[in-house]
């Protein structure tokens, strides 16, 4: 289960400048979808991640992808989505470790103070729905449909740390 990250955690967007976590949280909640581009499990969830991003893109939450890879492999894995969605490259899995993830893909909602509000690991659709529904209620926003008939069946995910 995810844990509150250190205030010292720094996140680097693909092609961007490294900043402290609290700089990403100044005005918005942060919903992070953590992915491992070297596994099938994370690839299976990309359409779901895109749907979550699309649902919350105009809300008072910032949605980001945290990809356990360098910039080049983030772009290879995500394609155009790497430029369309706030994407943090985490090649040494520092952020993955800091969040305490054990399985990827994972979903974590951070409050503006940097604390974990809710999280889910692996692809457990009802847990992911719980996280997104709770955020939607907090924001008075519509929630994404999870799961849909196009989503994969539940799966454990892959180990977060190698």
């Amino acid at each position: 289960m995810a844990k509150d990250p250190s205030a010292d955690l720094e996140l680097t967007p693909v092609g961007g400048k490294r900043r402290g976590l609290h700089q990403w949280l100044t005005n918005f909640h942060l919903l992070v979808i953590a992915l491992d581009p070297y596994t099938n499990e994370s690839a299976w969830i990309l359409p779901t991640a895109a749907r979550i991003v699309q649902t919350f893109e105009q809300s008072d939450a910032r949605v980001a992808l945290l990809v356990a890879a360098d910039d080049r492999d983030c772009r290879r894995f995500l394609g155009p989505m790497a430029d369309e969605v706030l994407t943090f490259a985490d090649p040494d899995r520092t952020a993955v470790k800091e969040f305490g993830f054990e399985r990827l893909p994972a979903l974590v909602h951070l409050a503006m103070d940097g604390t974990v509000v809710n999280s889910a690991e692996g692809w457990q659709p009802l847990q992911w729905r719980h996280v997104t529904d709770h955020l939607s209620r907090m924001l008075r926003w519509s929630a994404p449909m999870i799961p849909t008939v196009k989503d994969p069946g539940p799966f454990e995910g892959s180990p977060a740390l190698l």
Side-chain angles (χ1 to χ4, degrees):
M1 198 50 69
K3 63 181 179 75
D4 295 345
S6 165
D8 298 330
L9 176 62
E10 292 186 331
L11 299 170
T12 306
V14 171
K17 181 181 173 186
R18 177 182 301 250
R19 293 188 180 151
L21 175 63
H22 288 284
Q23 290 178 289
W24 296 107
L25 293 165
T26 54
N27 295 317
F28 301 101
H29 294 256
L30 183 61
L31 185 64
V32 176
I33 303 166
L35 303 166
D36 181 344
Y38 309 111
T39 65
N40 290 327
E41 291 89 345
S42 285
W44 296 335
I45 211 69
L46 279 177
T48 306
R51 190 171 63 250
I52 292 169
V53 168
Q54 183 179 13
T55 299
F56 288 109
E57 69 186 348
Q58 298 296 315
S59 74
D60 287 338
R62 179 176 278 154
V63 183
L65 303 175
L66 174 67
V67 181
D70 60 19
D71 280 19
R72 188 188 80 211
D73 284 351
C74 286
R75 290 182 189 284
R76 282 184 180 168
F77 179 65
L78 297 173
M81 203 158 124
D83 294 318
E84 297 165 1
V85 177
L86 176 60
T87 301
F88 298 117
D90 190 24
D92 56 4
R93 299 183 186 231
T94 300
V96 168
K97 290 175 200 167
E98 194 60 41
F99 283 119
F101 294 138
E102 294 179 13
R103 311 296 297 174
L104 297 179
L107 178 70
V108 63
H109 167 201
L110 297 175
M112 288 186 286
D113 65 359
T115 59
V116 171
V117 177
N118 272 311
S119 67
E121 293 186 39
W123 171 241
Q124 303 302 323
L126 297 181
Q127 292 175 5
W128 282 54
R129 182 168 64 193
H130 172 76
V131 173
T132 57
D133 283 356
H134 186 262
L135 176 60
S136 294
R137 282 190 303 277
M138 289 178 71
L139 301 175
R140 293 181 172 86
W141 199 258
S142 60
M145 180 90 118
I146 298 176
T148 69
V149 296
K150 293 183 178 182
D151 288 330
F155 57 83
E156 185 177 295
S158 62
L161 303 176
L162 304 172

